[in-house]
Amino acid sequence: MVAASNANAPIGVFDSGIGGLTVVRELMRQLPDERIIYFGDTARVPYGPKSPDTVRRYAREIATWLQHQGVKAIVVACNTATAHALDTLEEEFSFPIIGVVEPGARAAVRASHGGPIGVIGTAGTIGSGAYERAIRALAPQARIAARACPLFVPLVEEGWLDRHATRLIADDYLVPLRQEHVDTLVLGCTHYPLLKPLIADVMGRDVQLIDSAHETAAETARVLDAVGLRAQGSLTCPHRFVASDAPEQFLRMGQRFLGTAIDRVETVTLG
Amino acid sequence: MVAASNANAPIGVFDSGIGGLTVVRELMRQLPDERIIYFGDTARVPYGPKSPDTVRRYAREIATWLQHQGVKAIVVACNTATAHALDTLEEEFSFPIIGVVEPGARAAVRASHGGPIGVIGTAGTIGSGAYERAIRALAPQARIAARACPLFVPLVEEGWLDRHATRLIADDYLVPLRQEHVDTLVLGCTHYPLLKPLIADVMGRDVQLIDSAHETAAETARVLDAVGLRAQGSLTCPHRFVASDAPEQFLRMGQRFLGTAIDRVETVTLG
């Protein structure tokens, strides 16, 4: 158990790259008094195609580094790292570890009216079956329709959020889910909140979209409350943004993902 | 100088991932008697967003590993690694090192009738200015129009070679180059040969496309002839395909990139 005196310590957040900044954005909105240290493993992005052992090794290295920075909890703001490494981190570290999969799955089960639950994500996340397992753990009879959407991440990183080509690609990926009459769709990738208006338009107003970033921030608030680790008083130190290589991408894309510009990025080499 | 007795040693080829297989395809076509060891650094793909120092370190590790396999020459079948690491490898290794940039640049200068030369590639390759430098070294007065096409790699890896969305994206990237009246267009990324029919269609028949993979294989033949290292007699041992992580992608996409299925991939961890 962590000492309550740590309540004003920062929350560590990590992702393979910049996508986890959508989770930071929600944390800043829902938990404005919390200080955040974000680690984007830009030297080793993407995690999706890498083996579970490799991803676990990376996650352990980053969590150890965040521990040395004195964090009180870690948010694994990366679907692949959550799928492969959450259990390992929970075993090896004594502070709370929050992943992105479980909160999204729980919100989806709550929102669904019994229709199939749709899940979209990268090929790695969908291939891992992590959302299916998390949903079935809560609702064993749930029908699930999962679909990998590999072009969404590069489209978001290119800033093509509402182009005609993006719409055609979204139709191709999502119309089969609409035809299966999913009533809920989990956005199972930290990049996808930026495509929410387009995805909502393709799916139609009857389908409830579950934003994992939003749910993960809400879960973080619940966990910190439960262990008495919510920050006391308002934020005094600035957030820290750390990249393992080439911080230019953060500076260039921070605004798009975070909703506010990042003006300083530290570089830390791991491994 | 390398001993002529090494003529039947294999050629080492490496890339950050699977893209360099288009170069292997051309080597197999143009140099059918040569044995190839291909190393795809799938554990650390992509190189594009990584810093030059990091890319040089990776390239040195791979070249050292290939040296231990007894290669007689190395083809750097990766635009980013060529841009950042070719000089370093040439200094540190005694056998011939062939990159992908110089052969493409030379073919473009030969093919151009004085109109601007277009260059397309990943953001990393275009940002490095490597093709511009190589073209200007040969033709200091050349006009050059360069354009990053970041969505082409994921579209190729998704297999969307002739979809309507791909056409729209190609129009967006390429029409500005057509409007600048380029007479030659360098496909400065090892993934792009798979989009050649579409790119040719967008650019029109008057624009000559330069396929770096094709030119690099031709350059390899010239270099091996010049140093007396062309294989004697026909191929007896099979080619080797090596990945630094998760070989499934090779098995799945080998056919598309290589034109023939890969049935066995070794895994080797570096670094």
Side-chain angles (χ1 to χ4, degrees):
Chain A
M1 204 54 212
V2 199
S5 62
N6 284 343
N8 285 328
I11 300 172
V13 183
F14 78 89
D15 178 32
S16 56
I18 57 169
L21 292 173
T22 61
V23 177
V24 174
R25 179 183 198 153
E26 280 296 321
L27 285 167
M28 287 163 61
R29 205 178 60 79
Q30 297 182 37
L31 296 160
D33 298 336
E34 298 290 344
R35 189 154 52 97
I36 291 160
I37 302 180
Y38 182 85
F39 189 96
D41 197 5
T42 48
R44 304 187 287 201
V45 72
Y47 284 3
K50 298 189 169 76
S51 67
D53 276 351
T54 299
V55 172
R56 267 190 290 274
R57 179 160 60 85
Y58 293 172
R60 187 184 286 122
E61 285 172 5
I62 297 169
T64 303
W65 183 84
L66 287 169
Q67 183 180 38
H68 291 155
Q69 312 307 306
V71 299
K72 64 182 175 187
I74 286 181
V75 177
V76 184
C78 168
N79 282 276
T80 307
T82 298
H84 296 322
L86 192 69
D87 293 350
T88 303
L89 297 183
E90 282 175 342
E91 278 168 27
E92 297 181 7
F93 294 86
S94 58
F95 41 71
I97 312 276
I98 298 116
V100 278
V101 172
E102 169 80 24
R106 197 168 328 129
V109 169
R110 211 166 41 227
S112 173
H113 302 296
I117 295 172
V119 181
I120 56 174
T122 63
T125 298
I126 298 304
S128 77
Y131 276 97
E132 279 100 321
R133 278 195 302 282
I135 291 169
R136 290 238 161 76
L138 300 162
Q141 308 303 322
R143 286 173 296 153
I144 300 167
R147 175 83 204 238
C149 306
L151 289 167
F152 279 177
V153 166
L155 285 165
V156 167
E157 297 200 345
E158 183 75 328
W160 287 29
L161 305 182
D162 52 8
R163 302 264 187 132
H164 184 41
T166 311
R167 171 76 197 213
L168 288 177
I169 291 167
D171 281 344
D172 192 279
Y173 287 146
L174 301 177
V175 166
L177 295 174
R178 204 176 64 201
Q179 287 170 342
E180 289 195 48
H181 302 290
V182 303
D183 65 4
T184 310
L185 180 66
V186 181
L187 310 185
C189 170
T190 52
H191 280 65
Y192 296 0
L194 282 86
L195 290 171
K196 212 168 167 181
L198 175 65
I199 294 170
D201 197 49
V202 175
M203 295 306 293
R205 67 173 65 180
D206 295 337
V207 176
Q208 177 132 9
L209 302 188
I210 306 296
D211 177 342
S212 289
H214 173 88
E215 301 301 332
T216 301
E219 172 73 6
T220 304
R222 277 191 294 272
V223 169
L224 292 182
D225 282 338
V227 295
L229 280 179
R230 278 287 279 272
Q232 313 293 320
S234 61
L235 186 67
T236 48
C237 304
H239 303 307
R240 286 175 63 194
F241 297 95
V242 182
S244 52
D245 196 10
E248 297 76 22
Q249 201 192 19
F250 271 72
L251 300 170
R252 201 173 68 245
M253 296 201 202
Q255 172 80 44
R256 192 180 304 153
F257 281 78
L258 200 61
T260 174
I262 295 174
D263 54 11
R264 182 163 177 272
V265 178
E266 304 162 54
T267 306
V268 169
T269 307
L270 295 181
Chain B
M1 205 52 212
V2 197
S5 61
N6 284 342
N8 285 329
I11 300 172
V13 182
F14 78 88
D15 178 31
S16 56
I18 56 169
L21 291 173
T22 59
V23 177
V24 174
R25 180 183 197 153
E26 280 295 322
L27 285 168
M28 287 162 63
R29 207 178 60 79
Q30 297 183 36
L31 296 160
D33 298 336
E34 298 289 345
R35 188 155 52 99
I36 290 161
I37 302 180
Y38 182 85
F39 188 96
D41 197 5
T42 49
R44 306 188 287 201
V45 71
Y47 284 2
K50 298 189 170 78
S51 67
D53 276 351
T54 300
V55 172
R56 268 190 290 274
R57 179 160 59 86
Y58 294 172
R60 187 184 287 123
E61 285 171 6
I62 297 169
T64 302
W65 183 84
L66 286 169
Q67 183 181 39
H68 291 155
Q69 312 308 306
V71 301
K72 64 182 173 185
I74 287 181
V75 177
V76 185
C78 169
N79 281 276
T80 306
T82 299
H84 296 323
L86 192 69
D87 292 350
T88 303
L89 297 183
E90 283 176 340
E91 277 167 28
E92 297 182 6
F93 294 85
S94 59
F95 42 70
I97 312 276
I98 298 116
V100 277
V101 172
E102 169 81 24
R106 196 169 329 129
V109 169
R110 209 164 46 225
S112 172
H113 302 295
I117 294 172
V119 181
I120 56 175
T122 64
T125 298
I126 298 303
S128 77
Y131 276 97
E132 279 100 322
R133 278 196 302 281
I135 292 169
R136 290 238 160 76
L138 300 162
Q141 307 303 322
R143 286 173 297 152
I144 301 167
R147 175 80 203 240
C149 306
L151 289 166
F152 278 177
V153 166
L155 285 164
V156 167
E157 296 200 345
E158 184 75 329
W160 287 29
L161 305 182
D162 51 9
R163 301 264 187 132
H164 184 42
T166 311
R167 171 75 196 214
L168 288 178
I169 292 167
D171 281 343
D172 193 280
Y173 287 145
L174 301 177
V175 166
L177 295 174
R178 205 177 63 201
Q179 288 169 341
E180 288 194 49
H181 301 288
V182 303
D183 64 4
T184 310
L185 180 65
V186 180
L187 311 185
C189 170
T190 52
H191 280 65
Y192 295 1
L194 283 85
L195 290 171
K196 211 167 167 181
L198 176 65
I199 294 170
D201 197 49
V202 174
M203 295 306 294
R205 67 173 63 182
D206 295 336
V207 176
Q208 176 131 10
L209 302 188
I210 306 296
D211 176 342
S212 289
H214 177 272
E215 301 301 331
T216 301
E219 173 72 6
T220 304
R222 276 190 295 272
V223 168
L224 292 181
D225 282 337
V227 295
L229 281 179
R230 278 288 279 272
Q232 312 295 318
S234 60
L235 186 67
T236 49
C237 303
H239 303 306
R240 286 174 63 193
F241 297 95
V242 182
S244 52
D245 196 9
E248 297 76 23
Q249 200 192 21
F250 271 72
L251 300 170
R252 203 173 66 247
M253 297 201 203
Q255 173 81 43
R256 191 180 304 153
F257 282 79
L258 199 60
T260 174
I262 296 174
D263 55 9
R264 181 162 177 273
V265 177
E266 303 162 54
T267 305
V268 168
T269 306
L270 295 182

